[in-house]
Amino acid sequence: LEDWDSFPADLAAGYDIYLATSWETVPIVATMAQRQPSSATFYYVQDFEPDFYKESEVETRRQALATYTTIPNTFVKTLHLQSKLAEHGFSARRIPPGMNLDIFYPRAGKASERPKRVLAMARPDTQDDHRGYSILVEVYRELAVRDPSIALAWFGTNDLPDHGFPVQSFGRVPPSELPVLYSGAQIFLDTSRFHGFGRTGAEAMACGTACVLSDSGGISEYAVDDHNAIIVPVGDVARTVEAIEGLLADLGRMDTLASHGLETVAGLSDYKATAAIERLFRAELETIRS
């Protein structure tokens, strides 16, 4: 819709909770809530979206920032995002992150016993190379030259171009099939430039895969350098290649990181996260209707 005011009123009627999940959806959620005075409205901030736009895109950045005060009940799932909002003068409640551990669990044995494979998510379509695709390509190109025995693989996008090195592309993969991919690799690599949370790293940990992650913000919620992952500076191809080669040469360390990763994500239950959201929703409804 070009005009949120034209949104069909009947589609917005009869709900207790209205939830925005990105800055573009905030106007329509706010409009819905105005039509239902007894409802509660929330904004689940999943990333600091003004950073998705260039400094020259002043108006778009301004609009994205303005949404953080459009809906008063704002919540995040990471300390990184809570701090990021606070830096710009906005407040948000924090609830624990969660993931479906009934789906994400190891489908194979120790990382060291798996095929010599490095897996990553390839997303060339993100604004300003948000997911670090160009960095990933350079890391893979260097690994292919230095050690052709490493099987390189990625997922996330169909019909990627040929970059001149061998890589197995799984394309777009349903979430239910991702655990098999994660469990078929020794190392999961994420070269993203910034993250609200960094879910793929947590998913890989849950599948017993050793992780090499860029220092992209949101991963600090669960990743600890040299404890359950190796964290490298964003865009540092040499350090990233070195980290991967180091793990492949030290299988004991690989297994230790993977084991600690499993212990870490055991606390990221979606049941706990869902219960926290439900408490938040119920408390707000009680306040409105009391």
Side-chain angles (χ1 to χ4, degrees):
L1 295 175
E2 295 182 2
D3 181 6
W4 292 121
D5 291 333
S6 67
F7 190 88
D10 59 336
L11 294 182
Y15 294 95
D16 295 318
I17 303 291
Y18 295 96
L19 177 67
T21 57
S22 68
W23 80 266
E24 293 97 337
T25 65
V26 168
I28 189 172
V29 168
T31 299
M32 288 177 176
Q34 289 172 2
R35 296 169 179 170
Q36 302 291 321
S38 63
S39 66
T41 311
F42 294 86
Y43 182 8
Y44 169 27
V45 177
Q46 300 182 71
D47 217 326
F48 192 73
E49 294 178 299
D51 280 351
F52 289 7
Y53 304 96
K54 299 181 176 65
E55 292 293 339
S56 59
E57 298 176 275
V58 177
E59 181 58 21
T60 305
R61 288 175 59 87
R62 185 197 66 76
Q63 291 175 356
L65 282 168
T67 62
Y68 296 134
T69 55
T70 302
I71 295 176
N73 295 311
T74 300
F75 67 92
V76 297
K77 289 192 174 182
T78 66
L79 180 60
H80 167 71
L81 271 179
Q82 189 180 48
S83 301
K84 187 79 172 177
L85 287 169
E87 288 174 10
H88 290 79
F90 306 110
S91 61
R93 298 183 229 189
R94 180 175 169 229
I95 62 173
M99 57 189 299
N100 192 339
L101 298 177
D102 294 330
I103 294 177
F104 291 97
Y105 60 87
R107 303 300 207 273
K110 292 181 178 180
S112 62
E113 298 169 352
R114 300 176 182 179
K116 189 178 180 181
R117 178 179 294 126
V118 178
L119 177 70
M121 182 176 73
R123 289 285 307 279
D125 56 342
T126 55
Q127 180 81 24
D128 290 340
D129 199 23
H130 179 56
R131 293 297 178 219
Y133 176 70
S134 64
I135 303 167
L136 173 60
V137 169
E138 292 307 308
V139 171
Y140 270 16
R141 178 176 288 115
E142 185 68 15
L143 287 171
V145 170
R146 294 168 66 102
D147 188 350
S149 70
I150 302 174
L152 304 174
W154 53 31
F155 68 90
T157 304
N158 295 328
D159 303 320
L160 291 170
D162 183 357
H163 291 286
F165 53 81
V167 57
Q168 184 175 9
S169 182
F170 292 98
R172 299 178 71 88
V173 180
S176 60
E177 297 178 14
L178 282 175
V180 175
L181 285 189
Y182 290 132
S183 299
Q186 289 187 320
I187 297 172
F188 176 74
L189 170 64
D190 189 338
T191 58
S192 294
R193 297 180 185 277
F194 52 92
H195 265 309
F197 175 49
R199 181 167 297 275
T200 52
E203 290 173 350
M205 283 187 182
C207 295
T209 308
C211 291
V212 175
L213 310 173
S214 59
D215 194 3
S216 53
I219 66 164
S220 61
E221 195 70 19
Y222 62 88
V224 179
D225 186 37
D226 207 27
H227 173 69
N228 57 16
I230 297 180
I231 300 176
V232 296
V234 173
D236 194 328
V237 173
R239 287 277 296 277
T240 305
V241 170
E242 178 184 336
I244 292 170
E245 290 183 327
L247 283 182
L248 293 173
D250 189 345
L251 298 182
R253 186 184 182 206
M254 176 189 292
D255 283 341
T256 296
L257 292 179
S259 176
H260 289 164
L262 279 169
E263 294 171 1
T264 298
V265 297
L268 299 179
S269 164
D270 59 351
Y271 296 106
K272 294 179 181 178
T274 301
I277 294 175
E278 183 180 6
R279 287 194 298 271
L280 186 66
F281 287 176
R282 288 186 181 278
E284 183 62 20
L285 280 174
E286 289 174 3
T287 299
I288 291 172
R289 297 174 179 179
S290 62

